[in-house]
Amino acid sequence: DYGSGKTHLGLQLAISISQGWSFEDWYVALNNRTILYIEGELPATDIRDRVTSLVNPKVERGIPFDSDNMYCLTLDDLEMHGIKYGFEPLAISNDEERSKRNRKILDRMLNAIKAKTGTYPVLFLDNVTALTSIDENKSTDWSGLMMWLMHLKTKGVIIVFFHHTGKTTGTASGSNLAQRLVDTHIILKRLPEKAQFPNFDGVQCSVHFDKFRNFGGSRTNPFMLICNKKNGKWTKYNMLMDQTDFKILELHNEGKSVEEMCNIEPSFKKATVYRRLDKMKKGGVIERQPINL
């Protein structure tokens, strides 16, 4: 969705991959990999501030950050080097030859990074709308771009690209050609109002796996992500919750009984609190206590 936190989460994933940092309990990093993050929409200062806020929590704990593993390219970078109108489209309706010439610029960057580091970087393209000039509803307009990305994949380049959801479908807008070719399709949704923290400056979204290869089971369950933009702190919840759930969870963590919760919050009903606690236990938000036999 628009405003769901795609870029913020994308930068966190890029940082984590570049440093070999695990992210919450979503994934465990076995090693690090150089990344190339192409940002076609936001100014460089915005990207720099976001990266700083996301890196600081680790740096403040004495964990080193190696900026040499993270390459970012923004509109401002191009303009500062004489490219007045920013990125040339990576795909253009009815002009595949020009599109190929534009894509060669990124090919050269990828090859230069490989020459320096020994491996191709993980390529982040944020986002399709800003970096192309196509009719997203036509599969023929997507084909050149997707074939190029598949070619990069065969060379060992891992690609993460960002796109917006359709207003009516709730899935990626335009032709489904891109979804047929990707390994993993993740949808970020803005949280409904009842599930949002009021007066909170940061990302509040739910994460859904629409398509996945090479993994499955409980790892594909939807979950919530909350990120405070000021301190870069992320919190992951295993299920979609609302403000009542958060209050019950807070009181539970303070050691309050169900009866005490209802006394503190007169609007609570015992049956509702028990039901929601049980739901949080089943969802893994609250750890089940072992039964002594």
Side-chain angles (χ1 to χ4, degrees):
D1 288 349
Y2 289 91
S4 61
K6 291 186 300 299
T7 295
H8 213 69
L9 179 59
L11 287 170
Q12 179 64 69
L13 298 181
I15 292 167
S16 300
I17 292 169
S18 73
Q19 306 302 307
W21 293 344
S22 299
F23 178 53
E24 291 295 315
D25 63 349
W26 189 359
Y27 65 79
V28 176
L30 301 180
N31 49 47
N32 67 311
R33 184 81 171 259
T34 304
I35 69 100
L36 171 60
Y37 198 103
I38 306 297
E39 166 52 56
E41 197 169 20
L42 297 176
T45 52
D46 191 332
I47 298 300
R48 184 177 64 246
D49 290 346
R50 293 186 189 212
V51 170
T52 299
S53 72
L54 294 170
V55 167
N56 275 348
K58 295 278 190 180
V59 174
E60 289 172 356
R61 287 158 45 197
I63 301 173
F65 172 70
D66 185 359
S67 60
D68 288 341
N69 284 341
M70 189 164 176
Y71 296 84
C72 289
L73 186 64
T74 68
L75 288 171
D76 292 352
D77 296 321
L78 296 176
E79 291 179 2
M80 287 173 60
H81 287 81
I83 304 176
K84 186 176 181 181
Y85 298 108
F87 291 97
E88 292 292 337
L90 300 177
I92 306 170
S93 296
N94 303 317
D95 198 343
E96 179 61 12
E97 288 305 311
R98 183 180 163 205
S99 302
K100 288 180 179 178
R101 291 196 297 272
N102 295 339
R103 294 196 289 261
K104 284 183 179 179
I105 297 173
L106 280 188
D107 286 335
R108 288 197 293 269
M109 290 189 67
L110 292 168
N111 291 331
I113 293 173
K114 183 185 179 185
K116 181 178 180 179
T117 64
T119 57
Y120 282 113
V122 178
L123 175 63
F124 286 74
L125 298 174
D126 186 5
N127 55 66
V128 168
T129 301
L131 295 171
T132 66
S133 179
I134 62 174
D135 182 343
E136 297 170 3
N137 294 308
K138 292 183 178 180
S139 61
T140 51
D141 279 19
W142 279 90
S143 60
L145 175 66
M146 296 311 299
M147 290 305 102
W148 172 63
L149 295 179
M150 292 300 291
H151 173 67
L152 292 179
K153 183 179 176 182
T154 62
K155 294 169 65 174
V157 180
I158 299 168
I159 302 130
V160 181
F161 73 88
F162 300 69
H163 195 29
H164 296 103
T165 56
K167 293 182 179 179
T168 56
T169 63
T171 58
S173 62
S175 168
N176 66 359
L177 174 64
Q179 280 67 59
R180 293 202 299 267
L181 296 177
V182 300
D183 291 326
T184 305
H185 182 207
I186 300 172
I187 298 177
L188 299 189
K189 296 182 180 180
R190 286 174 294 182
L191 293 183
E193 187 174 346
K194 69 175 184 178
Q196 293 181 11
F197 288 93
N199 304 317
F200 180 84
D201 181 21
V203 174
Q204 302 188 64
C205 68
S206 57
V207 181
H208 305 260
F209 293 88
D210 183 57
K211 180 182 178 181
F212 38 89
R213 288 177 180 160
N214 306 317
F215 68 101
S218 61
R219 288 179 293 175
T220 64
N221 292 339
F223 56 87
M224 289 173 54
L225 278 178
I226 310 295
C227 180
N228 187 313
K229 285 188 177 180
K230 291 184 178 179
N231 59 25
K233 176 177 172 55
W234 291 89
T235 305
K236 175 177 176 285
Y237 296 98
N238 291 8
M239 52 184 266
L240 192 62
M241 300 166 66
D242 59 23
Q243 288 303 309
T244 300
D245 291 316
F246 289 128
K247 187 61 180 179
I248 291 172
L249 180 61
E250 178 186 348
L251 294 172
H252 172 82
N253 291 338
E254 292 175 1
K256 299 291 192 295
S257 67
V258 172
E259 185 172 348
E260 289 172 323
M261 292 182 196
C262 294
N263 289 333
I264 295 170
E265 295 288 339
S267 62
F268 287 0
K269 304 294 187 224
K270 286 186 179 181
T272 300
V273 175
Y274 277 119
R275 186 177 68 254
R276 293 191 179 227
L277 284 171
D278 185 60
K279 185 179 178 182
M280 283 186 262
K281 289 176 183 177
K282 289 179 178 177
V285 177
I286 295 176
E287 184 177 353
R288 290 181 179 273
Q289 297 300 317
I291 300 175
N292 294 320
L293 299 176

